[in-house]
Amino acid sequence: MRQYQADPAPIDLEFKKENRKVANWLLFYEERKAEYERLREAIIESSPCLTDAVPGGKNAVSDPTARKAVELARLQETEKWLQLVEEVENRLPLKMKVFLRLRREYRYRTGRNGWIAPVQWRYAQELAKILGKNPEDTWIESRTTFYYWWERIVEYAARLAAKKGLL
């Protein structure tokens, strides 16, 4: 009897891993952008010290300007991800932008007291305020709607990330 080997990385597991990566970029955008800007500013503002003039190993760059360029180049992938998240956010319709903002606020809520219920309630409040309506008019009864919206945004961002060579 012929034995079949299991795929080392079935496609659905690969997609889940990629979607998790994209979801993390969407959820932690603000923190990552702040860290990126802090690192970038530190690199640009750094002044050369005595050790910059002396080569320090086989992979060290002794030219301070070249060293800054190398360090800034390392930040390029982060910059591309940040731009991707900004593009996704800009292309979303108003309701989805409100949802994404709220989803970020409740990113640490998991399990039984997860993010969906508070987002559902806040979404109706926020959208009503923006549209000048009553929250009852903007209420979405089905909690699964929010789950599907989240999946849709992640899938959309993953497609863009793949097109840009980030996955």
Side-chain angles (χ1 to χ4, degrees), residues 6-21:
D7 275 337
I11 196 160
D12 57 331
L13 292 178
E14 186 178 336
F15 283 176
K16 283 181 182 180
K17 183 179 175 185
E18 290 173 349
N19 284 356
R20 239 185 337 271
K21 182 176 185 176

Side-chain angles (χ1 to χ4, degrees), residues 122-139:
R122 289 271 316 277
Y123 178 81
Q125 306 295 320
E126 298 280 329
L127 198 60
K129 190 185 306 180
I130 292 168
L131 300 176
K133 295 183 175 187
N134 291 321
E136 300 84 38
D137 298 331
T138 57
W139 178 258

Side-chain angles (χ1 to χ4, degrees), residues 4-161:
Y4 289 97
Q5 256 186 338
D7 275 337
I11 196 160
D12 57 331
L13 292 178
E14 186 178 336
F15 283 176
K16 283 181 182 180
K17 183 179 175 185
E18 290 173 349
N19 284 356
R20 239 185 337 271
K21 182 176 185 176
V22 170
N24 281 328
W25 276 100
L26 289 166
L27 289 175
F28 297 97
Y29 167 80
E30 283 103 7
E31 292 92 337
R32 289 180 172 181
K33 181 163 183 148
E35 178 67 8
Y36 164 80
E37 289 174 351
R38 188 191 65 73
L39 286 172
R40 188 174 185 282
E41 194 65 32
I43 292 167
I44 291 170
E45 296 291 321
S46 67
S47 57
C49 62
L50 182 59
T51 58
D52 288 335
V54 181
K58 64 180 181 181
N59 292 328
V61 179
S62 61
D63 178 4
T65 305
R67 182 173 303 157
K68 283 185 183 184
V70 167
E71 289 172 2
L72 287 170
R74 288 185 185 133
L75 290 178
Q76 279 185 334
E77 184 174 354
T78 299
E79 183 178 4
K80 288 177 185 177
W81 274 104
L82 293 171
Q83 289 171 348
L84 174 96
V85 172
E86 290 165 4
E87 181 180 347
V88 167
E89 209 167 330
N90 289 333
R91 293 174 74 177
L92 290 175
L94 173 68
K95 292 178 180 183
M96 297 291 253
K97 285 180 186 180
V98 171
F99 166 73
L100 179 58
R101 182 175 49 79
L102 294 171
R103 177 67 182 95
R104 283 181 182 147
E105 277 185 42
Y106 293 95
R107 66 185 162 269
Y108 294 110
R109 299 279 301 260
T110 59
R112 183 175 165 92
N113 297 319
W115 61 269
I116 293 178
V119 167
Q120 181 181 28
W121 187 83
R122 289 271 316 277
Y123 178 81
Q125 306 295 320
E126 298 280 329
L127 198 60
K129 190 185 306 180
I130 292 168
L131 300 176
K133 295 183 175 187
N134 291 321
E136 300 84 38
D137 298 331
T138 57
W139 178 258
I140 295 176
E141 188 64 34
S142 174
R143 288 183 178 189
T144 57
T145 298
F146 297 97
Y147 175 77
Y148 289 125
W149 282 2
W150 177 240
E151 279 190 337
R152 200 162 130 203
I153 291 171
V154 169
E155 287 291 333
Y156 174 63
R159 277 185 188 238
L160 281 176

